[in-house]
């Protein structure tokens, strides 16, 4: 929650301004207060009435407006805000802030603000790629502005390319992460996370898999990145997207591909958290064609061979890394988890029992127990997977920092 946090939303004149309404809703739902300051062109795309209704605050749009509370509203407004988010940010406002120009309500307010500024550029892809815009963005980064890079896709001008404003959810999550963890305790730490199931092909149509949704691993990646870590998220097939665009998402399908991706990043990592439900076996033979039900193989007895235990392999190669595993059990839970902790050379293991209601696969909740290598046991109540991720990352942070 962002209760008590104050967000200044700057809107400049681009078609993506219509998404500002949704961005305001996300901040307000999270408990933050929002005040809007816009350029004259912004209100060609979204009305002040819409913005004032959503924020329950007057929109600031003229330096010398007769409805301003003060003649120095650009200073009183910016003193009020904890954070300043410009979305959409046109080439024009980017150029103005980069070069210290203040000739309207938004550019003047930006110069008067001494907290963290975020800019979410939105423009035609050729404009975005222009050397002048890129130089201005570099200048802004040097000034400490955080740029929320535009996505690739269809642009309102008919072009396809990089320039579409990042989605409001991603802008919100980026700003939320800053407001929750301004000190970025995990900055400079590289952390590997695995998530989701793996799939082992039987034939071109069928596979061996499991019920893992990936939610726990993605929640961990989001929480780690929010605290400033460089996160490499190696994910089996899921429909999920990380909340923060800075997460390095590596999509894989099989246990073998997951192993290879993990080995690539593990060397340089400070920690690895293995939340994936990796298939323990794969078919010894992948049929090149679909197995027909009336074929000789139809009375199928499938020969299986073991996959590599990725976590155990990482445990053997462990140097500086903090290594965290998961254990999903159905009986003698703590005994099994302690056995895995020892055999795989872990620093700690996160246990969930399928016996606990609301824990394990596909749920939005989880009930975890963390056991460390001194066999100290911390038991947690049923929580959302996001809250469980906070508990696990707190433990990681305690060990790493
Ligand atoms: N794991 C892994 N590679 C595998 C199997 C498991 O990296 N091939 C990791 C999981 O990501 C998890 C931990 O090992 O962090 C424990 O996984 P789990 O499925 O609970 O146990 P297994 O070791 O596979 O043992 P069992 O299936 O007998 O319970």
């Amino acid at each position: 929650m962002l209760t008590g946090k104050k967000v200044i939303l700057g809107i400049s004149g681009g078609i993506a301004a219509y998404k500002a309404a949704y961005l305001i809703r996300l901040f307000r739902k999270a408990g933050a207060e929002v005040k809007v300051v816009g350029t004259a062109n912004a209100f060609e795309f979204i009305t002040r009435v819409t913005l004032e209704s959503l924020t329950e605050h007057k929109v600031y749009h003229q330096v010398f407006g007769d409805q301003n509370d003060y003649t120095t509203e650009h200073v009183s407004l910016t003193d009020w805000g904890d954070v300043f988010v410009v979305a959409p940010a046109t080439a024009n406002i980017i150029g103005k802030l980069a070069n210290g120009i203040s000739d309207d309500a938004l550019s003047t307010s930006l110069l008067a603000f001494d907290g963290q500024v975020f800019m979410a550029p939105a423009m035609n892809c050729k404009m975005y790629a222009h050397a002048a815009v890129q130089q201005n963005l570099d200048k802004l980064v040097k000034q400490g502005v955080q740029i929320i890079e535009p996505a690739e896709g269809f642009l309102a001008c008919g072009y396809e390319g990089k320039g579409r404003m990042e989605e409001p959810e991603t802008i919100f999550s980026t700003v939320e992460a800053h407001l929750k963890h301004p000190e970025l305790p995990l900055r400079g730490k590289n952390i590997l996370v695995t998530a989701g199931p793996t799939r082992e092909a039987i034939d071109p149509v069928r596979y061996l898999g499991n019920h893992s949704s990936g939610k726990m691993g993605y929640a961990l990646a989001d929480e780690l990145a929010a605290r400033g870590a460089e996160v490499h998220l190696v994910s089996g097939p899921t429909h999920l997207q990380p909340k923060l665009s800075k997460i390095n998402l590596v999509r894989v399908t099989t246990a073998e591909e997951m192993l290879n991706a993990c080995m690539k990043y593990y060397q340089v990592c400070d920690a690895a958290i293995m939340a994936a439900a990796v298939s323990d076996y794969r078919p010894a033979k992948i049929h090149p064609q679909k197995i027909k039900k009336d074929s000789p193989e139809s009375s199928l007895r499938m020969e299986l061979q073991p996959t590599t235990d990725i976590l155990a392999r990482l445990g053997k190669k462990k140097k500086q890394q903090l290594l965290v595993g998961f254990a999903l059990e159905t009986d003698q839970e703590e005994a099994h988890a302690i056995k895995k902790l020892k055999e795989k050379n872990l620093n700690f293991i996160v246990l969930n029992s399928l016996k606990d209601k609301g824990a394990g696969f596909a749920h939005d909740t989880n009930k975890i127990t963390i056991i460390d290598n001194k066999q100290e046991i911390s038991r947690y109540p049923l929580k959302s997977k996001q809250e469980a991720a906070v508990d696990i990352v707190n433990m990681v942070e305690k060990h790493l920092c």
Side-chain angles (χ1 to χ4, degrees):
M1 287 300 283
L2 297 179
T3 313
K5 298 294 179 193
K6 299 185 176 81
V7 178
I8 306 170
L9 177 61
I11 306 178
S12 56
I15 179 63
Y18 80 91
K19 293 187 182 172
Y22 187 52
L23 184 56
I24 293 168
R25 288 298 300 144
L26 292 173
F27 281 118
R28 300 263 359 236
K29 270 204 261 175
E33 242 188 292
V34 182
K35 287 188 180 180
V36 169
V37 50
T39 64
N41 286 342
F43 305 112
E44 299 286 337
F45 294 97
I46 187 164
T47 72
R48 276 164 42 206
V49 176
T50 302
L51 299 166
E52 288 177 352
S53 307
L54 291 173
T55 59
E56 298 180 80
H57 283 294
K58 209 155 50 70
V59 165
Y60 177 48
H61 64 107
Q62 284 178 320
V63 180
F64 301 110
D66 51 13
Q67 284 164 24
N68 290 357
D69 290 336
Y70 309 93
T71 49
T72 55
E73 189 121 345
H74 56 286
V75 177
S76 55
L77 172 71
T78 49
D79 282 348
W80 172 87
D82 296 312
V83 73
F84 203 140
V85 186
V86 186
T90 57
N92 191 37
I93 193 68
I94 288 169
K96 283 187 190 175
L97 183 59
N99 295 287
I101 296 168
S102 61
D103 63 355
D104 65 2
L106 177 54
S107 53
T108 307
S109 302
L110 278 165
L111 278 196
F113 185 69
D114 59 4
Q116 181 63 51
V117 176
F118 293 84
M119 280 203 164
M123 66 197 76
N124 165 270
C125 50
K126 289 198 284 185
M127 292 173 75
Y128 186 71
H130 195 286
V133 173
Q134 288 301 316
Q135 282 162 19
N136 285 334
L137 287 169
D138 287 347
K139 277 192 192 174
L140 289 178
V141 170
K142 286 196 186 105
Q143 288 171 23
V145 173
Q146 197 172 323
I147 307 297
I148 304 171
E149 289 214 11
E152 305 241 352
F154 285 105
L155 305 173
C157 52
Y159 277 83
E160 198 181 339
K162 187 164 177 171
R164 200 188 68 204
M165 187 174 86
E166 188 48 280
E167 291 305 325
E169 287 86 353
T170 305
I171 298 173
F172 168 78
S173 299
T174 307
V175 178
E176 181 194 36
H178 166 80
L179 288 169
K180 282 189 175 164
H181 303 286
E183 69 294 353
L184 299 179
L186 293 176
R187 196 206 310 251
K189 304 287 182 201
N190 266 279
I191 303 186
L192 169 67
V193 179
T194 62
T198 59
R199 288 180 184 172
E200 307 300 329
I202 298 170
D203 67 15
V205 179
R206 306 164 179 105
Y207 60 82
L208 289 179
N210 60 62
H211 293 299
S212 168
S213 64
K215 286 177 186 164
M216 194 64 240
Y218 277 68
L220 282 164
D222 287 333
E223 184 62 26
L224 290 160
R227 299 192 198 189
E230 294 291 321
V231 179
H232 309 284
L233 174 60
V234 178
S235 168
T238 73
H239 298 293
L240 304 175
Q241 275 295 331
K243 280 193 194 167
L244 298 174
S245 50
K246 69 175 199 158
I247 292 174
N248 173 26
L249 174 63
V250 183
R251 289 204 186 271
V252 296
T253 304
T254 63
E256 178 88 20
E257 288 168 8
M258 187 171 275
L259 170 71
N260 293 337
C262 288
M263 294 319 287
K264 179 171 165 203
Y265 294 105
Y266 186 57
Q267 323 293 334
V268 296
C269 277
D270 301 285
I273 309 178
M274 310 301 278
V278 187
S279 180
D280 289 325
Y281 292 93
R282 69 164 81 86
K285 173 177 175 223
I286 303 175
H287 288 262
Q289 311 297 342
K290 184 182 177 199
I291 303 170
K292 305 298 286 178
K293 57 176 175 281
D294 53 3
S295 70
E297 286 95 352
S298 61
S299 57
L300 198 63
R301 290 177 65 84
M302 203 189 304
E303 196 187 324
L304 300 176
Q305 58 182 210
T307 57
T308 306
D309 188 318
I310 305 170
L311 183 57
R313 172 76 68 88
L314 300 188
K316 283 209 179 82
K317 292 198 170 291
K318 191 160 108 173
K319 290 190 181 120
Q320 77 286 359
Q321 297 92 345
L322 179 87
L323 192 54
V324 181
F326 273 70
L328 179 64
E329 306 293 345
T330 54
D331 64 310
Q332 299 176 57
E333 292 88 340
E334 289 186 6
H336 282 140
I338 290 170
K339 187 165 175 273
K340 284 179 191 170
L341 172 89
K342 286 185 184 156
E343 284 177 357
K344 301 193 190 194
N345 190 21
L346 310 182
N347 294 77
F348 59 87
I349 193 156
V350 181
L351 162 67
N352 5 99
S353 167
L354 275 191
K355 268 198 216 146
D356 287 324
K357 236 176 138 202
F361 287 141
H363 293 288
D364 288 327
T365 49
N366 206 355
K367 188 167 185 300
I368 59 166
T369 300
I370 299 181
I371 307 174
D372 72 13
N373 52 9
K374 295 179 196 86
Q375 294 195 25
E376 272 185 34
I377 300 183
S378 316
R379 294 186 181 84
Y380 299 84
L382 185 72
K383 294 183 174 189
S384 72
K385 284 192 170 159
Q386 281 69 27
E387 288 165 331
V390 170
D391 292 329
I392 297 165
V393 175
N394 283 344
M395 198 70 96
V396 169
E397 193 182 312
K398 211 167 82 186
H399 280 75
L400 283 184
C401 303

